[in-house]
Amino acid sequence: MNSPIDDALNNPQNLGEMSGADAIGTAGSSDCGDMLRLWIKFREEEGRRVIDRATFQSFGCQTAIAVASVATEMIKGKTAEEALALSGAGLSAPLGPLPPMKIHCAQLVEGALKNALTGTPASPVAATGPTLRDSLQPQQKLQIKFHS
Ligand code: FES
């Protein structure tokens, strides 16, 4: 039987760039150098502005991909405030407890989400380049600190 992480990796949800997104957030990990970008589209629902859908792009870590897959499903139908209340642990909860060396993978997703929803740069590369690949210039240094 596959683990929830295997299931998320075998069939990742919401993978890829989104055109016409309302919000885009990028974060990079100072622990490993991996990067992740989220695209978010909102809709109006009963007088509330809720997340209609979210997609992501990531280079590197499989755990971050698995977390982003479940997190982009989890935040559908939530307001920005509700989504911002989710920690990395909350966003990765469907996958079960992560090993200590993989906790920052979930925080990477949390950082990209916060960057998208608050506009607060979580990364010095957040505003550069239209795609994640464009952001990964070798001369750029990632110096990201995540919320505890
Ligand atoms: Fe760094 Fe997963 S190993 S984001």
Side-chain angles (χ1 to χ4, degrees):
M1 191 170 107
N2 286 340
S3 71
I5 287 184
D6 289 336
D7 288 340
L9 287 174
N10 289 335
N11 186 26
Q13 303 297 300
N14 310 309
L15 190 57
E17 297 181 40
M18 181 198 299
S19 61
D22 295 315
I24 302 173
T26 306
S29 172
S30 58
D31 289 319
C32 64
D34 283 351
M35 292 188 67
L36 188 131
R37 180 167 287 173
L38 283 178
W39 287 262
I40 294 175
K41 187 78 180 170
F42 289 94
R43 70 170 188 271
E44 292 295 324
E45 183 179 277
E46 299 173 359
R48 299 185 336 146
R49 188 171 187 249
V50 300
I51 294 170
D52 182 49
R53 60 196 173 94
T55 66
F56 73 97
Q57 192 178 49
S58 176
F59 287 126
C61 168
Q62 302 262 299
T63 303
I65 292 171
V67 174
S69 175
V70 296
T72 50
E73 286 294 297
M74 183 185 296
I75 62 176
K76 285 181 184 173
K78 294 190 184 312
T79 64
E81 293 73 24
E82 290 167 343
L84 282 169
L86 293 165
S87 65
L91 292 167
S92 64
L95 302 175
L98 298 178
M101 78 285 286
K102 292 293 183 182
I103 288 174
H104 78 273
C105 312
Q107 291 172 331
L108 183 68
V109 178
E110 178 188 354
L113 181 62
K114 284 182 168 35
N115 180 226
L117 295 177
T118 67
T120 304
S123 160
V125 297
T128 63
T131 69
L132 190 55
R133 187 175 297 280
D134 292 333
S135 298
L136 290 174
Q137 299 304 312
Q139 70 273 19
Q140 291 179 318
K141 292 197 169 164
L142 304 177
Q143 297 176 340
I144 310 308
K145 299 289 181 220
F146 290 103
H147 307 274
S148 57

